[in-house]
Amino acid sequence: RHPSLGDFVIAPDGDAVLARLGVVERSLEPAAPDLFGLSDGPADPPAPVRFERFGEGRATALVWDDRRFERVD
């Protein structure tokens, strides 16, 4: 959750991983462990989406376009 942008929802969808922010939904493209690319289309260079973890545990935050979204349970 971001204080002004709201909830950035990440969910599996078959073999894909989907990202949704408000009414906009896009697929995340894997790049490296905890790093994905998010783009608006084939001509748009992917923006990095990075998961942050506390130690070896589950993700605690997501950083996209220099914006930090804290995990909410």
Side-chain angles (χ1 to χ4, degrees):
R1 180 169 290 158
H2 187 275
S4 61
L5 296 175
D7 292 343
F8 197 129
V9 179
I10 307 296
D13 183 37
D15 290 337
V17 178
L18 297 180
R20 186 176 74 243
L21 182 60
V23 297
V24 178
E25 186 173 274
R26 300 283 185 266
S27 289
L28 291 177
E29 298 298 324
D34 290 333
L35 179 64
F36 292 80
L38 174 71
S39 63
D40 285 329
D44 184 37
V49 173
R50 180 177 45 86
F51 291 96
E52 294 181 347
R53 296 183 183 277
F54 182 75
E56 297 293 321
R58 62 191 248 179
T60 57
L62 174 147
V63 178
W64 167 63
D65 200 24
D66 296 325
R67 295 179 179 104
R68 184 182 174 83
F69 294 79
E70 297 293 331
R71 182 182 192 120
V72 220
D73 291 317

